[in-house]
Amino acid sequence: MPVRSSGFVRHGWAPALACLATLLAGAAQAAAPHGESGEGASFPPFDPTHFASNLFWLAITFAALYWLMSTIALPRVGEIIEERAGKISSDLDKANAMQAKAEEMAQAYEKALAEARKNAQGIAQAAREAGAKASDAQRHATEAELAAKMAQAEAAIAQTKSGAMSNVRDLGSDIAVAIVTKLTGQAPSPAEATAAVDQTLNRG
Amino acid sequence: MAAGGGIDPIHQFQIHPIVELKLFGLNLSFTNTSLWMVIVLAVVSAIMIYGSSQRSVVPGRLQSLAEMIYEFVAQTLTGVMGREGMKFFPFVFSLFMFVLASNMLGMLPGSFTVTSQIIVTAAFAVLVMAVVLVYGIVKHGTHFFGLFVPSGVPGWLLPFMVLIEAVSFMSRPVSLSLRLFGNMLAGHIALKVFGGFVVVLLGSGAALNYAIAPLPLLLAVALTALEFLVAFLQAYVFAILTCVYLNDALHPGH
């Protein structure tokens, strides 16, 4: 026996028997007053001869039909229809769930993509900044080094120059002493000569 | 129209026993009516039981037919009585299918129309009324008779109204049975008469009669189509009126 989903079948037997009983009672009623006397009636549907047999067989066939329909056919067809409706709705639910999941995944993907893009931008920015900073630092370092070298060179030049200048002064004063000695025959003191050379150097 | 058995329009309703059977002094012979009742039973069972035996989710032809009939009757019934009317579903369904199959099988040439017997339609009508009365009284007790007492009627008018309501209630089985019986009987007689005209005209031998013989033939063809419509419509009307009357038993209040 299949599982009964609809409630109507539970009292399948009682109405079938009731139908049978009603119609059989009718058959007896119909047969009682007329008996077999209706042979003379000309119009067959109104001829009571076969009323009893018609009712009898109608009761049997209709009760059988009712019984077959209420216990076998209708529950089964109802079940098939319900099953199909259930399957369709569950399939639809499943499809909806899957679609929601797919959408969720698409959203997650979008989010990940946006995040990755943001990260990439950040990284690029950082790299750019780091690069700039490094090159700045290098430039500063190079500049400082160059400046130091230049200062050193300048100092060396100044030293050389002052060395040279002092050499020139010594040389000048020697020359001046020699010239004065040659001209005057009298040798000036080196201090005088140096003073004179300094005076000339400072002027010129 | 007494031109022999072939053209007598009443002959098709003649009942003749196939197997004589007498029980308790009653003539319960298995007649041609009984035979066609059994055929109706077999056809309906074949559609509904054999048709649904596959139980497939994607239905075949016969299963589609069975499901279509099921849903059609269920819709008709719930449309009139609502969901709680489904307890009468097997009853209404069996009635509808029995009447429909009888009417439709009656359209086969040479067949017998079970529903053209007034005793059959009367039995159905009485059965419907019995179900209405028994269910109404069992379910609602004396409250069921409130059906005959319309509300909002002045007191002096009430006896007349009750009388009218009672008469209208009691005339229901008469109208229910006569409508189906009359339609089936008249339709088949009309078909036979027009068919008979063709035979008579062709059999008369006169040239003019040969010429006009196709006219009743055309009419018979048109009437056949109409009769198929009537066969379905009367089964539907019978079922829907049954629903309406059963609805009174479910909800006796006006």
Side-chain angles (χ1 to χ4, degrees):
Chain A
M1 276 292 178
V3 182
R4 301 274 159 65
S5 45
S6 318
F8 57 75
V9 240
R10 262 174 248 126
H11 34 234
W13 259 109
L17 284 176
C19 290
L20 193 69
T22 313
L23 291 177
L24 279 178
Q29 197 89 57
H34 303 294
E36 318 280 309
S37 64
E39 214 54 62
S42 57
F43 191 53
F46 294 147
D47 176 5
T49 314
H50 296 288
F51 277 7
S53 105
N54 276 351
L55 283 176
F56 175 72
W57 289 103
L58 177 65
I60 290 177
T61 49
F62 187 70
L65 182 72
Y66 184 94
W67 186 76
L68 287 174
M69 291 300 113
S70 63
T71 55
I72 303 176
L74 296 181
R76 198 196 274 171
V77 176
E79 220 172 273
I80 294 170
I81 291 172
E82 264 173 40
E83 213 168 273
R84 177 176 311 127
K87 183 158 172 47
I88 287 173
S89 73
S90 85
D91 280 4
L92 274 179
D93 284 353
K94 224 181 277 172
N96 275 340
M98 272 161 90
Q99 197 184 6
K101 206 168 148 194
E103 259 165 33
E104 204 174 290
M105 274 165 82
Q107 256 169 8
Y109 168 76
E110 291 278 337
K111 211 169 128 190
L113 194 68
E115 213 162 285
R117 201 172 286 147
K118 217 166 71 186
N119 280 352
Q121 267 174 357
I123 289 169
Q125 185 76 30
R128 208 177 299 131
E129 271 166 18
K133 211 176 278 176
S135 68
D136 265 2
Q138 203 172 358
R139 203 181 65 222
H140 283 310
T142 316
E143 274 173 3
E145 201 182 333
L146 287 177
K149 272 183 181 163
M150 210 146 84
Q152 210 177 340
E154 268 169 11
I157 289 170
Q159 204 181 342
T160 314
K161 192 178 163 185
S162 71
M165 281 312 260
S166 75
N167 283 352
V168 164
R169 204 179 72 184
D170 291 347
L171 196 66
S173 61
D174 285 348
I175 291 170
V177 168
I179 290 172
V180 168
T181 309
K182 199 107 176 224
L183 285 177
T184 59
Q186 200 182 344
S189 71
E192 266 177 345
T194 307
V197 168
D198 276 348
Q199 206 178 340
T200 313
L201 277 176
N202 284 344
R203 211 170 43 213
Chain B
M1 291 304 299
I7 306 177
D8 177 10
I10 304 301
H11 179 259
Q12 58 181 323
F13 305 115
Q14 217 93 54
I15 298 173
H16 49 83
I18 297 171
V19 181
E20 295 279 357
L21 176 71
K22 287 201 194 273
L23 276 178
F24 319 118
L26 294 174
N27 177 13
L28 301 179
S29 305
F30 189 82
T31 61
N32 49 349
T33 324
S34 321
L35 174 68
W36 282 94
M37 286 173 187
V38 172
I39 293 174
V40 164
L41 173 66
V43 167
V44 176
S45 303
I47 294 172
M48 295 308 297
I49 295 176
Y50 176 69
S52 66
S53 60
Q54 297 288 318
R55 293 169 167 272
S56 44
V57 175
V58 181
R61 281 181 216 167
L62 206 55
Q63 191 181 322
S64 293
L65 181 63
E67 286 175 16
M68 244 163 63
I69 301 169
Y70 179 100
E71 295 200 310
F72 174 73
V73 178
Q75 264 171 21
T76 307
L77 186 139
T78 49
V80 176
M81 291 198 266
R83 286 296 309 171
E84 55 183 318
M86 281 306 275
K87 63 178 72 137
F88 291 117
F89 183 58
F91 179 62
V92 173
F93 188 88
S94 306
L95 266 183
F96 174 72
M97 284 312 281
F98 199 97
V99 173
L100 180 68
S102 299
N103 294 355
M104 284 299 180
L105 288 171
M107 291 305 294
L108 294 175
S111 73
F112 185 89
T113 316
V114 176
T115 40
S116 68
Q117 297 296 318
I118 189 159
I119 189 68
V120 172
T121 62
F124 278 142
V126 169
L127 183 65
V128 170
M129 283 303 133
V131 170
V132 168
L133 278 173
V134 169
Y135 184 82
I137 291 171
V138 166
K139 188 85 179 177
H140 300 285
T142 51
H143 182 64
F144 174 69
F145 294 102
L147 190 62
F148 302 117
V149 186
S151 54
V153 173
W156 58 273
L157 205 58
L158 206 58
F160 299 102
M161 292 305 293
V162 170
L163 188 68
I164 290 170
E165 291 281 342
V167 168
S168 99
F169 184 84
M170 282 184 283
S171 63
R172 279 173 177 182
V174 178
S175 69
L176 192 60
S177 58
L178 283 184
R179 182 181 303 109
L180 178 57
F181 161 69
N183 268 289
M184 297 325 291
L185 184 84
H188 283 267
I189 290 179
L191 271 181
K192 190 79 173 189
V193 165
F194 280 104
F197 277 162
V198 182
V199 178
V200 169
L201 287 172
L202 289 179
S204 65
L208 181 65
N209 288 350
Y210 284 134
I212 61 171
L215 292 178
L217 178 65
L218 282 177
L219 256 173
V221 170
L223 268 178
T224 306
L226 182 70
E227 276 309 300
F228 272 112
L229 177 71
V230 168
F232 169 74
L233 209 61
Q234 285 306 317
Y236 179 64
V237 165
F238 199 94
I240 206 160
L241 282 176
T242 302
C243 290
V244 170
Y245 298 158
L246 287 172
N247 193 37
D248 280 346
L250 269 181
H251 314 283
H254 260 278

